[in-house]
Amino acid sequence: MEKLVSSWFTIKTLPENYVFPAGKRPGKLHAPVSKAIPVVDLEKACGLHGRLDIIQQIMEACEDHGFFQVINHGVQATLMEDAMAVFKEFFELPGEEKSRLFSEDNSQSCRLYTSTVNYRKEEIHFWRDALTHPCRPLAECVQHWPEKPNRYREVIGALCEEVNELGSRILKLICEGLELEKGYLENELSKETSLTVNHYPPCPDPSLTLGLSKHCDPNLITLLIQGDVPGLQVLKDDEWIGVEPLPHAFVVNVGYLLHIISNGKLKGAMHRAVTNAKTTRTSAAFFINAAENSIVQPAKALVGAENPPLYKAFRYGEFFKTYASHSGDTEIVLEPYKMKY
């Protein structure tokens, strides 16, 4: 528990084991918040013509940025607000309550931890605490979730159900955009959903450390409630772009699996989280994921003589172990799975 940043963040000087090397620091000038990230109005996908237009918008965003935001998505605004309030209440609980969930054991499904899953192996830690747990199947998962705040299970359970439906809608639109057979992305490839709640307390020197470093998520897509405090940044053309927080929006990003299934057509989104000196930032990321034994490979409909597969077939569980062992290092994670011609 004493390792949690939220237990001691009021210090005046950043500890040395949180200071990143000069080349990896965000620097004094954080990337400005930008309106360049596409915003997609899902309500317009109801009619045939509108649906085709929205699919085109999503595909262009996935090919160019690997990121987009969705509004009018069907998840209740009041539910999103309640959930974010509950998450903040959780991190404000007394240490004794939170200690029941604190664990450095990666195999524990519901746990509170700090920095990353490789805390013990890290030379430099991230300015971040996190709560993580599975969301599907809900009836089995919910009994392992936090018991406090008292309304955690009720509110977050309701949110998980609506987010799963939203994720399914987005995957259907992407599937149509890739011209894959109906349901291609809605089988074992999107069977699991997990939630990670990120908590970034105010930092004594945000120019020297990171909440999370440059990475791409290991799943199909991620749906993020960013909250109202900026901090998410996307790498575009070798420059960092700050993602504008929009009220009641979800930020959607392409993960490695969708990049591979699309045979490189859709861009695996590189992103990071920066800190700030004044305000706590809390975000909630829902990861739509493949089952451990799922076979992942470029979709056969997207490969051919003129477009050979870029990646080998592999089991997702094997890939995730590689990803976790390298902490999502973008330079080497995909190397073992690339085809050699």
Side-chain angles (χ1 to χ4, degrees):
M1 276 296 295
E2 69 278 359
K3 295 177 181 177
L4 288 174
V5 176
S6 54
S7 297
W8 50 264
F9 71 91
T10 54
I11 57 170
K12 301 295 184 182
T13 304
L14 191 69
E16 289 188 10
N17 58 349
Y18 284 83
V19 177
F20 277 75
K24 295 186 177 181
R25 298 173 188 172
K28 292 291 183 184
L29 297 177
H30 284 186
V33 173
S34 171
K35 296 183 182 293
I37 302 299
V39 178
V40 177
D41 186 345
L42 280 190
E43 195 172 53
K44 295 181 179 179
C46 297
L48 177 60
H49 178 74
R51 185 179 184 85
L52 294 176
D53 183 52
I54 292 301
I55 289 173
Q56 182 178 351
Q57 289 181 37
I58 290 175
M59 295 304 293
E60 289 177 355
C62 290
E63 292 173 19
D64 192 37
H65 290 81
F67 261 84
F68 57 97
Q69 299 203 62
V70 291
I71 59 174
N72 296 325
H73 40 64
V75 179
Q76 300 174 64
T78 53
L79 180 57
M80 295 175 71
E81 292 170 359
D82 284 349
M84 295 305 286
V86 167
F87 293 142
K88 291 176 183 177
E89 288 173 26
F90 172 83
F91 283 100
E92 291 170 356
L93 287 172
E96 182 181 350
E97 289 293 339
K98 289 189 289 188
S99 66
R100 298 176 183 178
L101 287 172
F102 182 80
S103 175
E104 294 183 345
D105 181 0
N106 298 344
S107 65
Q108 186 169 319
S109 62
C110 179
R111 69 188 184 102
L112 174 66
Y113 63 99
T114 191
S115 194
T116 73
V117 295
N118 289 325
Y119 182 92
R120 296 179 186 178
K121 299 179 181 179
E122 296 169 356
E123 294 183 11
I124 308 296
H125 302 311
F126 296 97
W127 194 262
R128 169 233 196 192
D129 295 336
L131 170 68
T132 187
H133 59 67
C135 298
R136 276 198 290 189
L138 186 59
E140 295 178 16
C141 297
V142 71
Q143 58 188 311
H144 301 293
W145 291 0
E147 295 182 11
K148 291 187 178 181
N150 294 333
R151 59 197 189 113
Y152 187 98
R153 295 182 177 184
E154 177 185 358
V155 173
I156 307 310
L159 179 64
C160 287
E161 289 186 322
E162 295 200 12
V163 171
N164 282 332
E165 291 181 12
L166 173 59
S168 179
R169 287 177 61 200
I170 293 172
L171 287 177
K172 286 178 181 177
L173 293 169
I174 293 174
C175 195
E176 290 180 42
L178 290 172
E179 298 183 353
L180 298 176
E181 62 184 271
K182 186 176 181 180
Y184 187 94
L185 297 176
E186 296 175 83
N187 46 38
E188 295 297 305
L189 293 172
S190 59
K191 187 175 183 180
E192 299 183 0
T193 304
S194 62
L195 166 65
T196 296
V197 186
N198 302 297
H199 186 75
Y200 309 97
C203 177
D205 194 341
S207 69
L208 299 179
T209 192
L210 287 164
L212 281 173
S213 63
K214 172 185 170 185
H215 68 286
C216 177
D217 295 338
N219 49 300
L220 277 175
I221 58 173
T222 302
L223 284 74
L224 177 78
I225 304 176
Q226 188 176 190
D228 54 5
V229 180
L232 173 64
Q233 297 183 346
V234 179
L235 190 63
K236 179 73 168 64
D237 299 327
D238 294 323
E239 292 187 5
W240 289 106
I241 300 172
V243 181
E244 180 187 18
L246 298 179
H248 308 124
F250 279 89
V251 180
V252 183
N253 69 271
V254 174
Y256 276 135
L257 295 195
L258 191 53
H259 169 76
I260 291 167
I261 291 165
S262 70
N263 203 35
K265 182 177 176 65
L266 305 187
K267 182 178 180 179
M270 300 301 167
H271 55 289
R272 70 180 185 182
V274 297
T275 63
N276 73 81
K278 296 181 179 180
T279 310
T280 296
R281 176 173 178 260
T282 302
S283 66
F286 292 85
F287 301 97
I288 298 183
N289 226 333
E292 184 175 357
N293 291 323
S294 299
I295 301 297
V296 180
Q297 61 187 327
K300 290 182 170 56
L302 301 178
V303 300
E306 297 182 358
N307 191 31
L310 300 178
Y311 300 95
K312 308 171 186 176
F314 56 84
R315 290 193 183 277
Y316 177 68
E318 168 201 336
F319 172 79
F320 188 80
K321 288 179 181 177
T322 302
Y323 179 92
S325 66
H326 295 297
S327 299
D329 189 322
T330 56
E331 305 301 323
I332 56 179
V333 166
L334 294 182
E335 282 301 316
Y337 307 100
K338 289 182 177 177
M339 297 290 287
K340 310 296 182 184
Y341 292 103

